[in-house]
Amino acid sequence: MGFISTFGSLLLGALFTVSINAQCTNPTVRREWRTLSTDEKAAWISAVKCLAASPHNPNLTATVNASISQIPAMNTSGSFWDDISYMHMDLNVKIHQTGMFLPFHRWFVHSVEQAMIEKCGFSGGFPYWNWTIDAPDFYESSWWQDSDPESGLGGWGDPDKDYEVQDGAFAGFGLAYPSYHPLRHQYTAQPFAVFAASSPTIAQFFNETMLETYANSTFHIDQIAAIIAGNPGDYVNFQLSLDNWIGAHGSVHAITGGDLAGTCPATTEDCIPGNKWSPNSPLFFLHHAMIDKIWSDWQHLNETSATAFYGGSVQAFDNTTYFAEYPTGAPPLLNTSSEIYTDNMFPGAIIGDVMNHTAGYLCYVYE
């Protein structure tokens, strides 16, 4: 656990170096999962399960043509948790490799946290998963060894049972997308060849070396520290360093496999894999709270980074040259007045509302 304090002194020590017009007076504190008490862990898990026991939100509306999103039809018999996953599925082409990536996911984690508070009585700050702790030996990490049925996240799935998680509080956690199945986590050390094989469009962005990369080699502490310290004020290259084709964001999804990677359950027919229904896994939100923390650390480290934003609304996947020109999305360009996509699932916001997580719309800090 010494790593957490070291990481904190290196990166979070800058938290108050740069003021971003702080306005909230009593921010909630987001802490690394392993620093929570057993009761605090159980409370967060209970809130997730509460949302999974809550009914479908009838306001949820798909806004992307299914021929583009390539997802199953909405299942109105699913739960509120399934709705959360469906929303991410529907919007996947708008919120990845575009300027909406970081703002949307900051808003998304916050929106789920608010639903936990309002629907389920959750009162703690939202935790995050510092996966740099686990990077040296991801498969054997203690992260996967808490089998407590109320406070444990559980371990790897059983390969003889389609990698369904067998222990911890989420064993048998039922999910509606892409079809009904229990939560699955499948360790995949070198996932990028499988990822590229899922789509000719995606395959063009990978060379042989990239295909053979071990996913955990991309998110060690020194690499994340370099991302935070690098590219001051340069939002495009900051996002690219975190979310390139071989980068920390996608690598954590891919190495964990199963639902967090959007792989298809064995019983699902006509399934197109991809990082779509990854919010099926509760780990998605712990992972994206960490992504948000990295953005926060970068914002607070340099004054020019605090309000930096640039990106388009359309994925530039036509060819490698086009992507190199617009790695955070091609025109039409977004700006801080652009509305965050909601699919009518949660209350709306604009990008400018979430640029500062200690002012106005948001009010939290990272420990």
Side-chain angles (χ1 to χ4, degrees), residues 101-102 131 218-219 223-231 234-251 291 294 298 323 327-328:
F101 172 65
L102 290 170
W131 22 253
T218 69
F219 53 88
Q223 293 163 303
I224 301 307
I227 287 172
I228 293 169
N231 301 302
D234 184 350
Y235 184 91
V236 171
N237 281 303
F238 166 71
Q239 178 175 313
L240 185 62
S241 66
L242 186 61
D243 189 40
N244 207 339
W245 293 105
I246 302 289
H249 164 245
S251 290
I291 295 294
I294 294 168
W298 180 79
F323 180 78
T328 59

Side-chain angles (χ1 to χ4, degrees), residues 126-257:
F126 207 93
Y128 66 93
W129 173 17
N130 188 343
W131 22 253
T132 64
I133 298 171
D134 311 297
D137 190 356
F138 198 79
Y139 182 75
E140 296 290 348
S141 169
S142 61
W143 179 263
W144 304 105
Q145 297 171 23
D146 189 347
S147 60
D148 188 284
E150 293 185 355
S151 61
L153 295 173
W156 295 107
D158 184 343
D160 294 328
K161 297 180 180 179
D162 196 26
Y163 298 95
E164 295 170 8
V165 173
Q166 300 295 304
D167 61 0
F170 293 115
F173 187 62
L175 302 159
Y177 298 109
S179 63
Y180 280 113
H181 69 282
L183 177 67
R184 302 156 59 248
H185 288 146
Q186 176 184 357
Y187 175 68
T188 312
Q190 295 172 283
F192 298 108
V194 176
F195 181 44
S198 69
S199 167
T201 299
I202 292 173
Q204 68 178 313
F205 297 102
F206 290 83
N207 59 40
E208 194 64 32
T209 300
M210 294 164 68
L211 294 176
E212 296 175 356
T213 299
Y214 283 85
N216 66 322
S217 70
T218 69
F219 53 88
H220 285 256
I221 180 175
D222 56 341
Q223 293 163 303
I224 301 307
I227 287 172
I228 293 169
N231 301 302
D234 184 350
Y235 184 91
V236 171
N237 281 303
F238 166 71
Q239 178 175 313
L240 185 62
S241 66
L242 186 61
D243 189 40
N244 207 339
W245 293 105
I246 302 289
H249 164 245
S251 290
V252 174
H253 279 280
I255 195 172
T256 304

Side-chain angles (χ1 to χ4, degrees), residues 258-321:
D259 283 290
L260 195 63
T263 62
C264 298
T267 56
T268 306
E269 297 181 359
D270 300 322
C271 175
I272 301 174
N275 203 19
K276 303 171 188 174
W277 51 83
S278 50
N280 275 357
S281 173
L283 297 185
F284 173 96
F285 292 95
L286 302 180
H287 170 39
H288 271 279
M290 176 62 174
I291 295 294
D292 183 61
K293 177 186 179 299
I294 294 168
W295 183 23
S296 169
D297 289 342
W298 180 79
Q299 285 183 303
H300 286 91
L301 196 59
N302 186 287
E303 187 172 3
T304 61
S305 303
T307 57
F309 176 78
Y310 186 88
S313 57
V314 179
Q315 292 175 329
F317 289 179
D318 292 6
N319 52 64
T320 56
T321 301

